Amino acid sequence: MQSREFGRTGRKVSEIGFGAWAIGSAWGEVNDDEARAALHAALDTGVTFLDTADVYGDGHSERLIAQVMKGRGGERPYIATKAGRRLPKQTVEGYSAENLSAWTDRSLKNLEVDTLDLVQLHCPPTDLYYHPEVFERLDRLVEQGKIRNYGVSVERVEEALKAIEYPGVQSVQIIFNAFRLRPASLFFEQAKKKKVAIIARVPLASGLLSGKFKADTKFEKTDHRLFNRNGEAFDVGETFSGVPYEVGLAAVEKIRPLVPGDTTMAKFALRWILMFDAVTVAIPGARNPAQAVSNAGAAALPALSSDTMAKIAAIYESDIKPYVHQKW
């Protein structure tokens, strides 16, 4: 496992991390024993970055991480959480000093720590990025010792570019994969200049880029890949990266011949992300140890050739871009 500098924090983190949404909620039934085993397996492979949120299972994901950390020695991983989606309705006013402090206190309790490594605003309204007072409130939480660093999780490139104008923003979490290429242009360039860490979420396009799904694949009622296909519950970009399911399946079949026979499409898709040096860490989810070990193994794959990268870009241009590029 290789490490990359996490922005200006002075920390290094593994380039493959662990996304803990799936062990909290919205990905079908969660088995806690398997979830804890997956976390242990990821950490055993050298993963040093865990990403969670206070709303994943109403804090369940955070508490699972706390349980796993109790029984482990050695260097503690960098644990990132998020705040803001507990609001019944997303408004700028909801990100008050009182709410931010209360959400932070709740995550401190769930994770059983004295200070949170990283708190990310959890896909707040676009207008929030035009309210400096919200970021000043986060600065106060740093001064109080409740959080070490803060960042943002965004839906849109526009939001990412605006967020990094604030000097305290250490990281931006954004959807980035072979089906969501827009961040790689202007935003990546600006983030590198400002030494802002980039966390690539939804790296497998909700599993589409694993190559395991078919037209008749069934998803559980509690899985967002069924209930949020048209954005019924939250931003549709979080589900299959906003790509219509059948369109994504067809594009996957064009990518499949590019995958070497000695690896999996999921590992290949993660290695593709690591080809971008602006990316600090990719955070695939895992609900069992086998998935966690497989994800970590992507870091050991050789670099992809320029020809392969060009072919994937061409597939995006012809098949995917019309559906997603201008939306986020």
Side-chain angles (χ1 to χ4, degrees):
M1 180 66 71
Q2 302 297 311
S3 295
R4 300 188 181 192
E5 296 282 347
F6 196 81
R8 306 180 304 275
T9 65
R11 288 287 298 262
K12 284 188 173 184
V13 301
S14 56
E15 57 189 12
I16 297 293
F18 186 102
W21 181 16
I23 65 171
S25 65
W27 290 77
E29 184 180 352
V30 178
N31 180 297
D32 286 352
D33 289 338
E34 285 280 273
R36 283 186 288 263
L39 281 163
H40 278 297
L43 293 166
D44 288 345
T45 66
V47 165
T48 60
F49 184 88
L50 309 180
D51 178 83
T52 184
D54 59 358
V55 291
Y56 293 167
D58 194 23
H60 188 62
S61 175
E62 291 179 322
R63 292 188 290 272
L64 283 172
I65 290 172
Q67 292 167 18
V68 167
M69 295 315 303
K70 281 182 183 178
R72 296 187 66 92
E75 183 180 358
R76 186 179 177 85
Y78 195 69
I79 301 173
T81 192
K82 307 183 198 76
R85 303 304 292 187
R86 300 189 67 75
L87 289 170
K89 182 179 180 181
Q90 284 293 304
T91 63
V92 175
E93 293 73 24
Y95 289 78
S96 63
E98 293 77 14
N99 280 344
L100 285 166
S101 183
W103 297 332
T104 298
D105 289 342
R106 191 174 186 275
S107 287
L108 286 166
K109 182 178 179 181
N110 284 343
L111 286 165
E112 299 182 33
V113 294
D114 297 323
T115 304
L116 298 172
D117 291 333
L118 180 74
V119 170
Q120 304 156 95
L121 298 183
H122 199 171
C123 299
T126 302
D127 191 45
L128 177 140
Y129 296 98
Y130 295 84
H131 287 264
E133 67 274 14
V134 175
F135 297 89
E136 291 168 3
R137 291 164 192 158
L138 291 168
D139 288 330
R140 301 293 85 77
L141 291 173
V142 173
E143 292 169 1
Q144 294 166 20
K146 290 187 176 183
I147 64 178
R148 289 189 180 87
N149 301 293
Y150 64 82
V152 297
S153 182
V154 304
E155 297 290 359
R156 302 174 180 176
V157 170
E158 166 199 355
E159 296 165 346
L161 288 166
K162 183 61 180 175
I164 62 176
E165 292 181 8
Y166 294 100
V169 171
Q170 300 284 356
S171 64
V172 172
Q173 183 173 145
I174 192 166
I175 296 175
F176 181 65
N177 56 54
F179 287 170
R180 285 285 285 272
L181 273 174
R182 193 176 178 203
S185 52
L186 179 60
F187 170 59
F188 277 16
E189 175 188 325
Q190 293 300 313
K192 285 176 67 176
K193 285 182 180 178
K194 298 189 176 188
K195 295 184 178 179
V196 172
I198 294 176
I199 304 164
R201 81 169 182 277
V202 196
L204 298 178
S206 306
L208 261 181
L209 287 165
S210 72
K212 296 179 179 179
F213 298 159
K214 299 178 180 179
D216 60 353
T217 297
K218 303 296 183 184
F219 298 97
E220 296 178 50
K221 291 182 179 180
T222 53
D223 192 324
H224 73 99
R225 293 172 292 188
L226 177 64
F227 68 73
N228 193 58
R229 287 209 184 172
N230 299 303
E232 296 93 334
F234 39 79
D235 194 290
V236 70
E238 301 286 347
T239 301
F240 301 130
S241 297
V243 180
Y245 186 61
E246 293 75 14
V247 171
L249 289 177
V252 162
E253 293 311 310
K254 290 187 177 182
I255 293 174
R256 197 182 298 276
L258 303 176
V259 181
D262 58 351
T263 192
T264 65
M265 183 174 284
K267 289 183 184 179
F268 177 84
L270 292 172
R271 187 64 183 89
W272 177 91
I273 292 172
L274 299 182
M275 293 298 293
F276 295 81
D277 61 0
V279 172
T280 308
V281 56
I283 52 169
R287 292 194 292 176
N288 59 61
Q291 290 176 351
V293 171
S294 178
N295 289 339
L301 295 183
L304 305 187
S305 69
S306 57
D307 180 61
T308 295
M309 296 297 289
K311 287 178 178 177
I312 293 174
I315 294 168
Y316 174 81
E317 286 287 328
S318 64
D319 292 42
I320 302 297
K321 186 176 181 178
Y323 296 95
V324 302
H325 199 77
Q326 300 303 333
K327 291 185 177 180
W328 294 281

